[in-house]
Amino acid sequence: MVAKKPKIVIIGAGMAGLTAANKLYTATSSMDLFDLCVVEGGTRIGGRINTSEFGGDRIEMGATWIHGICGSPIHNIAQEIHSLHSDKPWECMDGNSDENNTITIAEGGYQLHPSIVEPVTKLFKNLMNHCQGKVLIEEKEKEKEKGGVGYGNNLSVGSFLRQGLDAYFGSVKEEEEVKGYGNWSRKMLEEGVFAMHENTERTYTSAGDLLSLDYGAESEYRMFPGEEITIAKGYLSIIESLASVLPQGVVQLGRKVTKIEWQPQKDDDVYDVEMKVLVNGCSSRPVKLHFCDGSVMHADHVIITVSLGVLKAAIDNDSGMFFCPSLPPSKAEAISRLGFGVVNKLFMQLSPSIKHEKEHFPFLQMVFHSPESEMRDKKIPWWMRKTATLLPIYNNSSVLLSWFAGEEALALESLNDEEILNGASTTFSTFLSHYKSHNTLCNGNVNSDKKSNQNEVKFSKVLKSKWGTDPLFLGSYSYVSVGSSGDDLDTMAEPLPKDNNFQPHASFPLQILFAGEATHRTHYSTTHGAYFSGLREANRILQHYHCVGIIN
Ligand SMILES: Cc1cc2nc3c(=O)[nH]c(=O)nc-3n(C[C@H](O)[C@H](O)[C@H](O)COP(=O)(O)OP(=O)(O)OC[C@H]3O[C@@H](n4cnc5c(N)ncnc54)[C@H](O)[C@@H]3O)c2cc1C
Ligand SMILES: *[C@@H]1O[C@H](CO)[C@@H](O)[C@H](O)[C@H]1NC(C)=O
Ligand SMILES: *[C@@H]1O[C@H](CO)[C@@H](O)[C@H](O)[C@H]1NC(C)=O
Ligand SMILES: *[C@@H]1O[C@H](CO)[C@@H](O)[C@H](O)[C@H]1NC(C)=O
Ligand SMILES: *[C@@H]1O[C@H](CO)[C@@H](O)[C@H](O)[C@H]1NC(C)=O
Ligand SMILES: *[C@@H]1O[C@H](CO)[C@@H](O)[C@H](O)[C@H]1NC(C)=O
Ligand SMILES: *[C@@H]1O[C@H](CO)[C@@H](O)[C@H](O)[C@H]1NC(C)=O
Ligand SMILES: *[C@@H]1O[C@H](CO)[C@@H](O)[C@H](O)[C@H]1NC(C)=O
């Protein structure tokens, strides 16, 4: 009898799935050990990496940055394949680093003096450093002794930040009132600048409300040192490089999985298991995958890399994909406790009639009145009110970018281009109405009618990402929410059933393995987190088949 090769199916052709496939293939290809395939529900590879084009420029609809180049495996690949240079313009964000190019404007068009912005910015940075554990160990220890902030007491980053702001207001001496900012008082401006930084933090973490972002877990998150850069030839070049080693036919597009049947063991804590006949149809393989077109596939091992959003919907059985039997409670609870938010990018192309070559568009930071304030400009739509920045994707690009999170990001997905164009144009025109640069910033035409806004910001087209409503993602990236912890991320990574040392002859171990951004305890929410998770699960299978000694 010829023994069948173990069949390994990877669900999802994003960073995690293709890294796992690349590793399994390159580690064993000469031995032809496995029957390997990657099934992808969409019509393209890359998943949350979606390099596109807009207004002639290369842009990223999803993953954008290499978060620290020192030690990043993504940076290593990018260097190897020469992806960090390009003749074609890309989203390099070079204006970003120049603080002299940054202006902060409060609603109504009042440009803020650095003496108002800087102390609050410094305060915010200090508080975030504190959350992220970048403070002296002794200080943290003291805090712990005092039973202070954030140790297992459900404290959120949002409430910690606000405590910090209150303490700041309590400690500053009666400040001189500011003049020349219309109805804004100094305190309102300071609070507005603080809120602006909070809004940026919402897009970094995908926590639509920072009150739901866990304080304690924040210090477990790791970043690589070194600068943060974007990829000149596009993030997709990394994905293409990983996929390029796989033979034709390994990656199958348009293969959406709708049902995953598996065989739990008696000691799995699964509710309501009617133990199935261990033989699925005529196959001896324990997992049976059902696809949207009605076809099925049998497998020995399945590596699931779908987003946490898709898993959340799967355990609620409302996504068109589900597990049969249901996932064990420990796994399902981790899935439902962890946070998965929506972050979207909005690209806007300035109308060609607008002159901007002489002086490039500034890096604009925006300070809004609170949404309840009577002083707010009613023309500005609510979904624009948490937009922290507007910036060109490179120095003299006519394409501008803003980031959205939470409810506002979801709203963006439901609006049509016309509504977005008008809402964005109205908002930015208000902010820049009094702005004077050496050249007229946006509109070169000097208008004789003094009342008309010479700085009207007009866009000819917009492009937005839609991560929240796309059924293959249902959100953007994970965060540790209040009530959850790093332990839940570890639980996410556990395979089913476990490769149990105590039961070496247990039937069918490692039927379902979990990879993807949301399964990495310290690098969740990133492309390199997804990469590491793919490697981890590929190695788990290689180890199971004792392949590790053979390869490097
Ligand atoms: C707007 C945005 C900005 C970001 N910015 C950055 C950044 O600057 N730096 C950074 O490091 N990271 C960033 N990220 C996060 C990064 O993109 C992700 O962490 C990473 O790409 C996730 O990879 P993955 O393989 O875990 O998941 P995915 O890329 O989601 O791959 C999963 C795949 O599974 C497929 N799938 C889903 N359901 C099914 C099904 N039923 N059947 C078959 N296939 C299915 C999906 O189509 C998808 O291709 C950003 C993400 C977004 C959305
Ligand atoms: C873009 O502008 C900033 C300053 O405004 C400058 O530091 C940077 O070098 C410029 N980049 C390029 C590519 O010209
Ligand atoms: C910003 O401007 C100040 C004063 O003009 C100058 O000293 C400083 O070097 C500039 N910073 C950058 C990053 O160019
Ligand atoms: C934290 O919150 C959870 C549920 O939200 C609750 O069960 C638990 O008691 C809380 N813990 C503390 C220390 O407040
Ligand atoms: C999930 O929904 C499908 C139909 O959409 C149904 O056939 C299935 O029995 C449900 N599974 C569970 C566990 O509720
Ligand atoms: C703003 O201040 C002006 C006086 O400077 C006053 O007339 C106006 O009512 C104020 N607007 C609001 C919304 O408070
Ligand atoms: C940007 O500037 C460069 C060099 O100054 C020029 O070659 C290019 O055409 C400009 N691009 C745009 C979009 O204005
Ligand atoms: C990916 O990019 C294309 C544009 O190239 C866009 O149409 C699509 O909506 C993007 N996907 C998501 C989920 O944003």
Side-chain angles (χ1 to χ4, degrees), residues 325-474:
S326 312
L327 291 173
S330 58
K331 182 75 87 176
E333 281 158 16
I335 290 171
S336 69
R337 273 195 298 256
L338 285 165
F340 194 68
V342 183
V343 172
N344 277 315
K345 296 175 76 172
L346 174 65
F347 296 92
M348 296 154 277
Q349 183 165 45
L350 286 167
S351 288
S353 64
I354 285 161
K355 291 190 187 122
H356 61 93
E357 299 93 355
K358 281 187 208 136
E359 183 164 339
H360 48 74
F361 205 93
F363 180 173
L364 172 63
Q365 302 194 116
M366 285 168 288
V367 174
F368 286 91
H369 280 298
S370 80
E372 303 85 35
S373 169
E374 269 310 303
M375 289 176 218
R376 74 180 194 279
D377 182 340
K378 315 277 190 307
K379 291 195 298 294
I380 298 177
W382 70 270
W383 49 269
M384 282 300 302
R385 292 199 151 270
K386 291 190 176 174
T387 313
T389 57
L390 174 70
L391 47 167
I393 63 168
Y394 55 89
N395 275 350
N396 61 352
S397 176
S398 63
V399 175
L400 307 183
L401 165 66
S402 289
W403 292 73
F404 292 74
E407 282 182 273
E408 290 78 8
L410 267 179
L412 200 65
E413 295 188 35
S414 70
L415 297 167
N416 65 39
D417 285 2
E418 186 76 14
E419 292 168 308
I420 295 173
L421 222 108
N422 290 335
S425 170
T426 303
T427 307
F428 301 135
S429 298
T430 312
F431 272 83
L432 292 167
S433 55
H434 308 317
Y435 179 65
K436 283 196 186 58
S437 63
H438 307 301
N439 303 296
T440 313
L441 174 72
C442 304
N443 197 334
N445 308 322
V446 175
N447 205 317
S448 52
D449 179 1
K450 283 258 161 57
K451 269 184 248 158
S452 85
N453 180 0
Q454 292 185 15
N455 279 329
E456 193 171 2
V457 183
K458 273 201 173 143
F459 300 112
S460 51
K461 60 174 181 169
V462 295
L463 179 67
K464 71 202 177 198
S465 62
K466 297 178 205 164
W467 299 105
T469 47
D470 189 319
L472 291 170
F473 304 97
L474 300 173

Side-chain angles (χ1 to χ4, degrees), residues 205-257:
T205 59
S206 99
D209 183 349
L210 295 181
L211 292 173
S212 67
L213 182 65
D214 189 63
Y215 175 89
E218 200 61 9
S219 60
E220 282 196 64
Y221 189 75
R222 290 286 166 269
M223 294 257 293
F224 291 115
E227 49 167 346
E228 301 192 66
I229 59 169
T230 62
I231 301 174
K233 292 213 173 75
Y235 235 111
L236 199 61
S237 64
I238 309 290
I239 289 290
E240 281 163 351
S241 157
L242 289 167
S244 65
V245 305
L246 303 171
Q248 202 78 41
V250 168
V251 180
Q252 304 174 9
L253 300 178
R255 297 280 274 156
K256 188 172 193 276
V257 175

Side-chain angles (χ1 to χ4, degrees), residues 258-259 314-326:
T258 54
K259 181 175 176 182
I315 62 169
D316 296 341
N317 201 17
D318 68 357
S319 71
M321 180 185 94
F322 66 97
F323 295 88
C324 185
S326 312

Side-chain angles (χ1 to χ4, degrees), residues 493-495 499 510 513-514 535-545:
E494 278 171 19
D499 204 359
L510 305 186
L513 301 94
F514 293 82
L535 270 191
R536 181 190 65 218
E537 297 311 312
N539 282 329
R540 200 191 297 276
I541 290 177
L542 292 171
Q543 224 150 33
H544 179 69
Y545 288 99

Side-chain angles (χ1 to χ4, degrees), residues 13 18 44-47 49-52 58 60 63 81 83 231 233-242:
L18 290 173
R44 56 176 183 88
I45 61 171
I49 289 167
N50 189 8
T51 305
S52 304
R58 185 180 288 130
E60 304 289 355
I81 64 175
S83 269
I231 301 174
K233 292 213 173 75
Y235 235 111
L236 199 61
S237 64
I238 309 290
I239 289 290
E240 281 163 351
S241 157
L242 289 167

Side-chain angles (χ1 to χ4, degrees), residues 151-154 482-483:
Y151 291 94
N153 58 3
N154 288 355
V482 173

